[in-house]
Amino acid sequence: MTSSVLDLAPVVPVVVLEDAADAVPLARALVAGGLPAIEVTLRTAAALDAIGAIAAEVPDAVVGAGTVISVRNVADTVAAGARFLVSPGWTDSLLDAMKASGVPFLPGVSTTSEVVALLERGVSEMKFFPAEAAGGTAYLKALSAPLPQARFCPTGGISLASAPSYLPLPNVGCVGGSWMVPADAVAAKDWARVERLASEAAGLRG
């Protein structure tokens, strides 16, 4: 079982799939490019089927569920085969469900109080969202001195150009982004392009 999502790869692709039939070839391209952790967001009707297909057919992928915002989402995605969970924010009931799920999870935060509240609940790994809008690298640097035990996967507005400014920070384990899975490449089923972009992203940490 995955122990920490933050240590799998420098970049976690954030994937929105309209057609579950694209899930397996997309996941294979991302894994081949060096990005094994794949977050499939629950923004489309195809998401659960996509998670199930990747879990069943791409053994080298570590597929997770993103945009987890309810207790029902937790149950449904874990049953489908999700090996980690990511939420844009959290409530007590959602946090309890994620803790009880048996898989690693990254609850979303954007304020210092939310970080402190999670640390109080024994959670030290979090998603920082929306990263760019919420203060970016300057905010994370400011958090690192008083709250060094908190580690983050910043997601939201991060690009190939900005990712390298996040990755060296001591409290950043990885970043999340969608630039290596552009909608036009997925629509065209250009998996070779996805693999190239994934390889470029995987090399960001050198």
Side-chain angles (χ1 to χ4, degrees), residues 21-89:
D22 291 332
V24 168
L26 177 66
R28 286 177 175 151
L30 291 169
V31 170
L35 300 180
I38 302 168
E39 175 189 335
V40 177
T41 73
L42 299 183
R43 299 179 199 173
T44 68
L48 283 177
D49 287 341
I51 289 168
I54 295 170
E57 299 182 47
V58 192
D60 292 334
V62 181
V63 64
T67 323
V68 174
I69 58 171
S70 70
V71 173
R72 176 69 181 270
N73 286 163
V74 173
D76 288 348
T77 55
V78 172
R83 293 169 60 186
F84 65 91
L85 306 171
V86 184
S87 69

Side-chain angles (χ1 to χ4, degrees), residues 68-130:
V68 174
I69 58 171
S70 70
V71 173
R72 176 69 181 270
N73 286 163
V74 173
D76 288 348
T77 55
V78 172
R83 293 169 60 186
F84 65 91
L85 306 171
V86 184
S87 69
W90 64 277
T91 63
D92 287 332
S93 59
L94 179 58
L95 187 67
D96 288 343
M98 290 195 292
K99 277 187 161 187
S101 71
V103 301
F105 56 93
L106 296 174
V109 297
S110 61
T111 69
T112 307
S113 293
E114 291 168 328
V115 176
V116 173
L118 284 176
L119 291 172
E120 191 177 76
R121 297 284 298 269
V123 178
S124 60
E125 297 189 344
M126 312 167 195
K127 170 179 176 169
F128 177 52
F129 176 85

